[in-house]
């Protein structure tokens, strides 16, 4: 990282203003992003948040930072209301599909990681699961208990928010306002804002996921997992914590409360929140309502995941975006036009410094992707030589993540790519079938290769296989 690193400005929800980013350790960033609750597919609203976080991470990398990114997988403890009421979402998913909570978690975690890959979201350095960190969560609750921040009710161990002067500072709500705004009943909690650190298993013992604890058999609350895992892998304080805007009043407010109460230190220096994706003008997309749109819904309608990524980049992450298939179709057209234009440009050579400088200014100004895209189109239409434009476009794509290189390679260079391993294996098997004069098998393997989009030619040197 150069001595005079470029300046990055980020909107810090904690202080409600745009601030110059200053890392704790020079050249390094510890980044924690709240991950999915793996009881169902992610909907495209959830995916908007992960794309925003990816743009943040890519921007930090682009500026030369070494980023240590941790994202949790919530596989226990997130109840159907973000407060402490209702069923565990994992149990709900298990009942819906007649499977175990573990199987549900495994399946939807894999589906989620697949979505991220298709959206060209860079993988996190660590993906800790809540169920693998029960020990750390219990240790943190014990620390809070020793400091007198907890109390016991009939159904669990709770955090007493009235003991913190500045509880709710992230949401900028006075306790009184939080009280008025809360919809849930108070039960035998002392204050409406108090939250469960550890919930006891129901007495009839029908929970699939439960653990022994110094209190009673039960399971951790949702907020404690993020604090325990963030502190374990990133230390306290770390640099940046992110999530969707809905996490401000409850989840992140409670993460801050319990982590600061435990150690007296801030949890993270910068808190960034992505705005919601709406389906109609005012309706937010929610996983709990059954009619949500997934990445698969888009693919079934012949939209590419990268067209959705491009659609998202057209709106600043701090503004609400309204999804429609018309807008997605326009984004897909735009992206296809971009690929087609740049495909004709040939090999990249020495870029356009003027545009690269302007791009850095856009993206370092609180991740201004709409301006960055506008600048990209200015570049495309500019009079710079094609080879220079290509070079600069590929540079922009390190942040935009639209896979411009892969989608603009000339057809001949695509043909010369090494064959994927599975295709190599089919080719070897077909060669063997031919040598053994097993014609039926040889025909079957040729058809299979053709179906996969390969051309098969038999020469005197054996079978040749090429991308069609
Ligand atoms: P969940 O799997 O429900 O814990 O949510 C995963 C992430 O998606 C969280 O960071 C939420 O804040 C975010 N999120 C939920 N709904 C939306 C939405 N409609 N638009 C954007 N982000 C959302
Ligand atoms: Zn979290």
């Amino acid at each position: 990282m150069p001595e005079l690193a470029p300046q990055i400005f980020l909107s810090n929800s904690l202080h409600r203003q745009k601030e110059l980013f200053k890392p704790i350790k020079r050249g390094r960033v510890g980044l924690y992003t709240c991950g999915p609750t793996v009881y169902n597919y992610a909907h495209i609203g959830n995916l908007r948040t992960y794309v925003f976080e990816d743009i943040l991470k890519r921007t930090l990398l682009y500026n030369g930072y070494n980023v240590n990114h941790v994202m949790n997988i919530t596989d226990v403890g997130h109840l159907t209301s973000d407060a402490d009421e209702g069923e565990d979402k994992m149990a709900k998913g298990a009942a819906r599909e007649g499977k175990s909570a573990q199987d549900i978690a495994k399946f939807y975690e894999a589906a989620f990681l697949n979505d991220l890959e298709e959206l060209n979201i860079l993988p996190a350095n660590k993906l800790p699961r809540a169920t693998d960190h029960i020990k750390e969560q219990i240790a943190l609750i014990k620390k809070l208990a020793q400091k007198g921040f907890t109390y016991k009710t009939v159904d669990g161990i709770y955090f007493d928010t009235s003991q913190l002067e500045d509880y709710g500072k992230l949401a900028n709500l006075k306790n009184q306002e939080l009280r008025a705004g809360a919809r849930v009943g108070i039960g035998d909690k002392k204050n409406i804002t108090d939250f469960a650190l550890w919930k006891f298993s129901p007495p009839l013992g029908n929970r699939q996921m439960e653990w022994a604890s110094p209190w009673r058999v039960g399971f951790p609350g949702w907020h404690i997992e993020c604090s325990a895992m963030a502190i374990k892998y990133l230390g306290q304080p770390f640099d940046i914590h992110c999530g969707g805007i809905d996490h401000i009043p409850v989840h992140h407010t409670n993460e801050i409360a319990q982590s600061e109460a435990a150690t007296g230190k801030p949890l993270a220096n910068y808190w960034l929140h992505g705005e919601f994706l709406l389906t109609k003008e005012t309706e937010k997309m929610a996983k709990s309502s059954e009619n949500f749109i997934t990445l698969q819904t888009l693919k079934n309608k012949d939209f590419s995941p990268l067209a959705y990524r491009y659609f998202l980049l057209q709106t600043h992450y701090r503004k609400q975006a309204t999804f429609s298939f018309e807008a997605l179709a326009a984004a897909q057209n735009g992206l296809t036009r971009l690929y087609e234009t740049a495909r004709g440009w040939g090999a990249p050579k020495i870029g356009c410094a003027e545009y690269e400088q302007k791009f850095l200014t856009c993206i370092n100004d609180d991740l201004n992707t709409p301006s960055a895209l506008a600048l990209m189109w200015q570049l495309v239409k500019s009079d710079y030589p094609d080879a220079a434009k290509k070079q600069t476009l590929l540079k922009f794509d390190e942040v935009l993540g639209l896979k411009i290189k892969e989608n603009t390679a000339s057809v001949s260079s695509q043909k010369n790519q090494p064959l994927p391993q599975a295709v190599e294996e089919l080719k070897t098997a077909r060669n063997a079938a031919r040598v053994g004069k097993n014609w039926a098998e040889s025909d079957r393997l040729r058809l299979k290769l053709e179906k996969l989009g390969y051309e098969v030619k038999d020469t005197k040197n054996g079978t040749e296989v090429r991308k069609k």
Side-chain angles (χ1 to χ4, degrees), residues 247-261:
H247 284 346
I248 294 176
V250 181
H251 183 51
H252 288 171
T253 286
N254 293 344
E255 270 191 53
I256 288 175
Q258 66 203 1
S259 311
E260 296 192 356

Side-chain angles (χ1 to χ4, degrees), residues 16 168-174 177 248:
R16 279 162 282 280
K169 63 184 170 192
L170 178 70
N172 198 21
L173 291 174
K174 303 278 175 297
E177 288 167 342
I248 294 176

Side-chain angles (χ1 to χ4, degrees), residues 36-37 43 45-46 49-50 78 243-244 246-247 275-277 285 287:
T37 308
H43 61 59
N46 302 130
T49 295
Y50 303 113
H78 192 172
D246 56 325
H247 284 346
E275 250 296 356
F276 261 59
L277 179 81
M285 188 169 298
K287 227 189 244 183

Side-chain angles (χ1 to χ4, degrees), residues 87-107:
E87 218 181 332
D88 190 315
K89 290 186 179 187
M90 296 310 302
K92 191 176 166 190
R96 185 185 62 226
E97 298 184 23
K99 293 186 186 152
S100 71
Q102 281 85 351
D103 285 347
I104 290 288
K106 232 191 261 165
F107 177 83

Side-chain angles (χ1 to χ4, degrees), residues 32 34 72 222 226 241 251-252 255:
Y32 187 89
C34 285
N72 65 300
W222 172 38
C226 282
H241 194 313
H251 183 51
H252 288 171
E255 270 191 53

